Amino acid sequence: MSFSLGTLGLFRFPDPYTRMHAVSISDTLGVGLIVCGLFILSPSWILRIKLAVVLFLFWILNPTMSHLVAKAGIIHGVKPVKGKTGKR
Amino acid sequence: MRGRRLVLFILLLIFWFVISQEADLQHILAGVLVAFITVWFWQDLDTRQPGILSFRALLKLCRCLVLIVWYIIQSNIAVIKTLLFSNPPVNPVFVEFEPGIKSKWGRILFATCITITPGSVTVDIDPETGRFLVHALTEETADGIVNWRMIDEIKSLETQMQRGAEHVVDNGRLYGFDTGNTRSGNYRSNGD
């Protein structure tokens, strides 16, 4: 379901930056729930540790790649949809 | 230096055994060899790694990880609500702010925390001033990030690590702890 929501976000959101937020639903919640399910089903603890390592690596790689895509977009002048910019 | 390399070696060996799931002579020898070569190959990165965590700092880091899982769940629900029920779908904002985190690893940890929670992406960090440029899906998300509890958690972890580093310096051995005052060059390529 979370993967479907991520895909729906790709169609509904207007620019690459906002679409990244939608896709991250599937990357965090979707993968997290799949790993939780497999965690319950797995027969041994070593397999569970492996699953935890996979989830950890996924949650490290996902923000790194999102950051790179966003930064590449800014450097190459991809315009965000009309919004605000503010200093706090 | 040696202590840190030993910790890295042991961690790599544990990772090898978890992944290979075998403990016969061939696997043990291969694991030791690969872990040793990896540690030797990356020894130049020693000075860029944070110092060895004390038990208290490790507990604090675990608390941060539990908190971040909770925030991931919360922000997922918020983004799903925005996606399904708001019309127009989004009101995205770029927000620039300075959380006051000094160390490089602290900034990376905070940037990762921001990006891993759906609804916000760290676009850039100024290495000199420590200012973050963040893209947020809604204005509420942007406000939430500026006043986020994780900032205080990471700052307190930073203080704990700094104390540990001072202790190491007091003992006459500098472990190359990064206090945020050192810079390894400007990575920003767009010149702004």
Side-chain angles (χ1 to χ4, degrees):
Chain A
M1 202 173 127
S2 48
F3 279 93
S4 318
L5 285 169
T7 315
L8 177 70
L10 280 180
F11 289 103
R12 193 141 191 255
F13 285 166
D15 69 342
Y17 301 104
T18 46
R19 281 176 198 147
M20 269 192 322
H21 299 300
V23 174
S24 65
I25 298 173
S26 6
D27 285 349
T28 53
L29 193 68
V31 174
L33 288 175
I34 287 174
V35 168
C36 279
L38 290 174
F39 206 81
I40 296 165
L41 288 175
S42 56
S44 66
W45 273 102
I46 196 87
L47 216 58
R48 286 176 189 151
I49 295 171
K50 265 190 196 181
L51 283 169
V53 170
V54 168
L55 184 66
F56 180 73
L57 287 178
F58 211 93
W59 281 5
I60 293 284
L61 290 175
N62 166 35
T64 312
M65 296 317 293
S66 300
H67 162 69
L68 283 176
V69 171
K71 186 154 180 171
I74 288 287
I75 289 171
H76 292 285
V78 178
K79 295 266 182 272
V81 79
K82 199 181 111 190
K84 292 176 184 173
T85 304
K87 288 187 178 184
R88 318 231 166 166
Chain B
M1 288 283 191
R2 271 188 191 168
R4 242 186 312 181
R5 280 183 208 165
L6 189 69
V7 170
L8 186 60
F9 177 80
I10 291 167
L11 283 176
L12 286 172
L13 208 57
I14 291 170
F15 184 70
W16 171 268
F17 285 125
V18 167
I19 295 300
S20 71
Q21 234 177 311
E22 299 277 348
D24 53 23
L25 187 67
Q26 191 187 344
H27 276 90
I28 293 170
L29 278 178
V32 168
L33 192 69
V34 170
F36 180 78
I37 290 172
T38 311
V39 171
W40 173 78
F41 191 78
W42 292 109
Q43 60 184 323
D44 291 348
L45 289 180
D46 263 357
T47 50
R48 293 178 181 218
Q49 294 168 359
I52 296 170
L53 294 176
S54 66
F55 183 68
R56 275 191 158 190
L58 199 66
L59 276 182
K60 241 185 182 107
L61 189 65
C62 288
R63 205 176 99 169
C64 281
L65 290 180
V66 173
L67 266 177
I68 198 67
V69 172
W70 172 240
Y71 284 124
I72 286 173
I73 295 167
Q74 271 188 335
S75 53
N76 265 301
I77 294 166
V79 173
I80 289 170
K81 271 186 191 166
T82 311
L83 173 66
L84 291 179
F85 304 116
S86 68
N87 194 22
V90 279
N91 180 24
V93 287
F94 272 104
V95 61
E96 201 179 354
F97 69 105
E98 199 176 325
I101 298 169
K102 301 280 179 222
S103 63
K104 276 184 199 164
W105 62 264
R107 286 174 189 167
I108 291 170
L109 185 62
F110 185 53
T112 308
C113 290
I114 290 174
T115 312
I116 205 171
T117 48
S120 53
V121 172
T122 311
V123 178
D124 199 12
I125 308 169
D126 191 325
E128 283 171 17
T129 56
R131 288 187 81 82
F132 279 62
L133 178 64
V134 174
H135 183 264
L137 201 56
T138 58
E139 265 186 81
E140 292 80 41
T141 316
D143 285 335
I145 289 166
V146 174
N147 307 308
W148 203 12
R149 186 181 159 191
M150 284 305 288
I151 299 175
D152 295 329
E153 293 284 339
I154 291 171
K155 273 185 190 167
S156 108
L157 188 65
E158 213 172 37
T159 318
Q160 198 119 40
M161 292 283 285
Q162 237 155 5
R163 264 188 225 143
E166 276 161 19
H167 176 69
V168 171
V169 174
D170 285 347
N171 286 341
R173 294 173 69 192
L174 180 62
Y175 273 68
F177 179 77
D178 172 25
T179 55
N181 297 324
T182 52
R183 282 184 58 211
S184 59
N186 193 347
Y187 70 88
R188 290 152 66 90
S189 55
N190 55 346
D192 55 10

